[in-house]
Amino acid sequence: MSIQEQYRQKRRAAHDAVNEVQDNDVIVVPTGVGEPPALLKALSERRREFQGVCVAQILPIGRYGYFDPETVHNVRHMAYFLGGASRAGAQQGWIETLAANFSELPELIRRGLTPADVVFSLASPMDEHGYFSLSLGTDYTMAAVERARAVVLEVNPNVPFAHGNCHVHISQVAALIESEAPLAEVGLPTIGPVQEAIGRYVADMIEDGSTLQIGYGGIPDAVVMQLKEKRELGVHTEMMGDGLLSLIECGAVTNRAKTYLPGKAIATFALGSAKLYRSMHRNPGFEMHPVDFTNDPWLAARNDKLISVNATLQIDLFGQCGSESLGPVPYSGTGGQTDFVRAANRSAGGKSFIVLPSTAKEGRISRIVATLEPGTLVTTSKNDVNYVVTEYGVAQLRGKTMRERALALIAIAHPDFRGELQQQAARLKLL
């Protein structure tokens, strides 16, 4: 049977494609924009027909009908990482979260430790050889494709056909639907004076020829905006966004100086504008790979002068980062922060930056604290943290004693809280 005949035979309406799902299945869905909206809407409409179905995903974009506490016994969401659509459900207790580094999710799936019975994914149109590209969310989805009983694709002409290890053949597909809806777009975060100040500190420490891993958020994007005068930068990251695209367009990023995969911007998912998605289409300068490749600390560290920039919610005087919860209340997830902190630490000339405003709640709360609140999930350990940056400066922690760490962190706390932190540090026998 030709690939065109296979395609026609597997084409379905969204409502019918959901028949590939069975009770108690775990449906794996790609990160963010890689989620297939028509399939997830159809699943939502039919959710009461199922029992025990779970949709597993990092960072959902749409809040579909199955985000419903009344039907969690039918279809429920399980979060690899929380976003706006899933955070409230996790805080209320009817959405479950998985504890794992982003880089380890594919291996958890391959070993069967994290189930993957069905894959629902957005995909590019099929090429002349029978391949689709899962370019927007390659992440853990490629591992799930290997493991799943059924792969169901939502084929959309707006999805770029990207280079890299992100391709699925028609013979691997159980069913597909077609849609032409515009892709979800995520704009750049708001950047204020605090973010700009932090961004300047970090940008000043980034040398020409460095390779960038930049997380999502106002501060990481403030760093990007101040790198346009740099030269011969490279990209090896988990998220490809519009900020990094702007550095490519202005010539600051060329990828030529990279010591690992020179000439290529490497990522595992894309989150941004339609312009970003178009730029990825059959562009040999972009490659999308599974997250156990992009985020593997030993592989990423093969890039000399690897720069990692990631945000945290809170840090204590020992250097422990609470990046995913507010006390015991879940907020986001582990993601790739630890992966890239460790990668930058291993890289020749690498630097990892943990960035945060000095205060929260309009200055009423210090984000630098003596000890993390009980129940806070530690994302990046004290032994891994290198540079910590607020709008008041930079604290370098690696190789420092507990006393030296405490002094360095108090020095970049908001002035209103430094006296209190000194008293608390003294009670902890740090000063």
Side-chain angles (χ1 to χ4, degrees):
M1 188 184 299
S2 71
I3 57 173
Q4 289 79 18
E5 289 170 334
Q6 291 182 64
Y7 186 99
R8 287 191 293 271
Q9 190 177 80
K10 296 176 179 182
R11 188 170 55 202
R12 305 275 192 279
H15 188 272
D16 297 327
V18 175
N19 289 333
E20 297 294 334
V21 178
Q22 300 174 8
D23 286 349
N24 302 309
D25 274 350
V26 173
I27 305 170
V28 173
V29 175
T31 306
V33 180
E35 68 188 22
L39 281 172
L40 294 177
K41 182 179 178 183
L43 176 70
S44 296
E45 292 169 349
R46 295 186 56 187
R47 66 187 182 277
R48 289 178 175 82
E49 300 173 27
F50 297 101
Q51 289 293 320
V53 170
C54 176
V55 179
Q57 183 189 13
I58 273 185
L59 199 63
I61 296 295
R63 186 176 172 85
Y64 298 95
Y66 63 83
F67 286 90
D68 180 358
E70 296 184 2
T71 58
V72 291
H73 299 296
N74 305 107
V75 178
R76 70 186 191 280
H77 181 78
M78 194 266 281
Y80 298 151
F81 189 101
L82 296 172
S86 54
R87 184 173 296 121
Q91 293 174 349
Q92 293 161 15
W94 52 268
I95 284 180
E96 297 179 58
T97 58
L98 181 77
N101 291 316
F102 197 4
S103 65
E104 296 175 323
L105 285 173
E107 189 62 21
L108 294 177
I109 290 170
R110 290 191 193 98
R111 295 188 183 192
L113 297 173
T114 298
D117 302 298
V118 178
V119 171
F120 277 8
S121 179
L122 210 55
S124 72
M126 186 176 73
D127 74 359
E128 64 271 26
H129 306 294
Y131 286 96
F132 304 86
S133 178
L134 309 190
S135 54
L136 299 177
T138 305
D139 46 53
Y140 44 82
T141 308
M142 296 300 291
V145 167
E146 299 170 16
R147 182 90 182 180
R149 182 189 71 249
V151 176
V152 184
L153 300 182
E154 181 173 327
V155 179
N156 186 314
N158 298 305
V159 176
F161 195 100
H163 292 262
N165 181 11
C166 59
H167 303 129
V168 173
H169 193 264
I170 184 63
S171 61
Q172 298 171 274
V173 177
L176 60 88
I177 71 168
E178 295 176 332
S179 70
E180 297 184 356
L183 302 179
E185 297 185 61
V186 179
L188 292 172
T190 301
I191 297 173
V194 169
Q195 289 83 4
E196 286 184 5
I198 297 170
R200 278 194 300 273
Y201 282 120
V202 176
D204 286 347
M205 297 178 67
I206 296 176
E207 304 172 34
D208 290 346
S210 296
T211 292
L212 308 175
Q213 179 268 320
I214 304 289
Y216 180 77
I219 299 173
D221 274 303
V223 174
V224 168
M225 293 302 105
Q226 297 179 63
L227 295 177
K228 294 190 176 182
E229 301 304 316
K230 303 287 183 178
R231 293 290 176 263
E232 301 295 339
L233 298 176
V235 173
H236 185 116
T237 190
E238 59 184 31
M239 187 193 86
M240 182 61 65
D242 282 82
L244 290 174
L245 177 63
S246 72
L247 294 183
I248 294 171
E249 291 178 329
C250 76
V253 166
T254 64
N255 292 301
R256 290 191 295 259
K258 290 176 67 182
T259 52
Y260 185 52
L261 300 175
K264 308 291 184 183
I266 304 297
T268 196
F269 71 95
L271 194 64
S273 66
K275 178 183 179 182
L276 170 68
Y277 310 143
R278 288 193 300 270
S279 74
M280 296 166 57
H281 184 63
R282 297 192 180 279
N283 184 342
F286 285 92
E287 288 190 1
M288 305 300 290
H289 288 275
V291 70
D292 53 346
F293 178 88
T294 60
N295 286 38
D296 183 305
W298 288 266
L299 293 177
R302 294 174 65 179
N303 292 288
D304 292 350
K305 295 199 286 188
L306 179 66
I307 302 296
S308 170
V309 183
N310 290 284
T312 192
L313 298 171
Q314 217 178 41
I315 188 168
D316 69 16
L317 294 182
F318 300 97
Q320 298 181 113
C321 291
S323 306
E324 55 195 280
S325 73
L326 301 167
V329 179
Y331 187 82
S332 55
T334 304
Q337 181 176 117
T338 305
D339 295 330
F340 275 103
V341 167
R342 290 176 173 170
N345 289 344
R346 293 176 63 90
S347 164
K351 299 172 185 174
S352 70
F353 296 92
I354 296 292
V355 295
L356 72 165
S358 65
T359 62
K361 293 191 175 180
E362 298 179 339
R364 297 193 302 273
I365 295 175
S366 176
R367 289 179 182 265
I368 296 177
V369 295
T371 58
L372 296 176
E373 180 183 340
T376 299
L377 301 177
V378 176
T379 305
T380 301
S381 79
K382 69 185 190 311
N383 299 343
D384 292 314
V385 173
N386 188 1
Y387 294 98
V388 180
V389 187
T390 73
E391 71 271 31
Y392 291 100
V394 180
Q396 195 278 311
L397 303 189
R398 276 173 72 79
K400 299 294 176 64
T401 66
M402 295 301 183
R403 179 179 184 276
E404 291 169 333
R405 286 166 171 256
L407 287 170
L409 288 165
I410 291 169
I412 64 167
H414 192 285
D416 291 349
F417 295 96
R418 291 177 191 171
E420 180 183 345
L421 286 170
Q422 287 172 341
Q423 294 172 6
Q424 292 171 326
R427 286 196 291 269
L428 292 168
K429 309 303 183 186
L430 294 175
L431 299 181

